[in-house]
Amino acid sequence: MRVALLGSGRGSNAKAILRAKQNGQLGRADIVGIFCDNPHAPMLKLGPRFGVPAFFLDPGPFKTKFSPEQESVWANTLLSHQVDLVVLAGFMRVVKTPLLNAFKNKIINIHPSLLPLFPGLDGIGQTWRADVNEGGCTVHWVTDEVDGGQHLGQIRVSRENSDTLETFTEKIHAAEHVLLPKIIAELSVL
Ligand code: GRF
C-alpha cells in the first residue's frame, strides 16, 4: 500500500508513522512521500532523516482551503506517485472535490478529540474548555463534511485533576502517535 503523508507543521504524527515503518510496525504500508503546504514546515526535514522524498506544494492563496486549480495539482501529483492511501497528518486545510474525487474513500485524517465531539479547529482546547473528564483522538475517513467521516479508531485519554492544558495536550498527542500508525498498518493488510 503506497501511502502519502500530508501535513502543514511540526510533523510529530508523520514522525511516529515513519518510526513505525522503521521498526517494521506498519504492516504492508510504504511511505512514498511527504507533501507539505507550508515551505517552512519542520515536517519537511523528516524526508532526508528517514530517506523519504519530501515536497512543498503550493496550495494557493487561501489559509484553510486550496484554490481549485492548486487542489487539482495536488491530486495529479499524488496520482502520479500512484498513491493508494492519503494520510492527513496535521494537515490544516479542508479537502474538497478535486482530491476527494481523485482519492475516493482513500483519505484518512487524525483529529485530536473524541469525535463527533469537538470537530474543527483546536479539538484539544475545545475539549479542555468543555471541562469533560476525558478527551482523546480519532482517525476517520475524510468526506466533504469536516471531521465527519466514518471512524476507523479512537483512543480515550482521561483528564485528571492534576492535569494542566499542557499535560493533557501531551497525553493526547502521545495517543495520536499510537493510533495513526496502527490504523495505517491495519488498512494495509485488508
Ligand atoms: C495533531 O494534533 C493532529 O491531530 C491535528 O494537528 C496536529 C498536528 O500535529 N490535526 P503534528 O504536525 O502531527 O505534530
Side-chain angles (χ1 to χ4, degrees), residues 24-111:
Q25 292 166 342
L26 210 59
R28 299 178 62 183
D30 280 322
I31 308 304
V32 299
I34 294 169
F35 300 85
C36 291
D37 60 358
N38 164 10
H40 309 295
M43 184 172 169
L44 283 168
K45 300 210 174 96
L46 295 172
R49 189 165 151 196
F50 286 90
V52 170
F55 310 92
F56 161 68
L57 283 180
D58 184 0
F62 309 111
K63 217 174 156 196
T64 58
K65 62 176 186 178
F66 290 99
S67 65
E69 301 75 26
Q70 284 309 112
E71 189 159 0
S72 294
V73 170
W74 278 66
N76 289 332
T77 304
L78 295 173
L79 287 169
S80 75
H81 282 78
Q82 295 168 300
V83 167
D84 300 308
L85 182 73
V86 177
V87 176
L88 307 185
F91 192 62
M92 308 313 268
R93 203 168 284 274
V94 175
V95 170
K96 293 205 177 138
T97 314
L99 269 167
L100 288 174
N101 281 354
F103 292 92
K104 267 205 169 83
N105 305 320
K106 289 181 180 173
I107 309 180
I108 64 172
N109 180 45
I110 177 112
H111 182 76

Side-chain angles (χ1 to χ4, degrees), residues 107-153:
I107 309 180
I108 64 172
N109 180 45
I110 177 112
H111 182 76
S113 79
L114 292 174
L115 291 172
L117 297 175
F118 314 121
L121 284 178
D122 193 17
I124 299 178
Q126 290 189 61
T127 306
W128 180 260
R129 288 187 294 276
D131 214 17
V132 286
N133 59 11
E134 64 174 1
C137 55
T138 306
V139 174
H140 63 91
W141 290 110
V142 173
T143 64
D144 55 6
E145 185 191 343
V146 174
D147 298 327
Q150 193 195 334
H151 298 177
L152 287 153

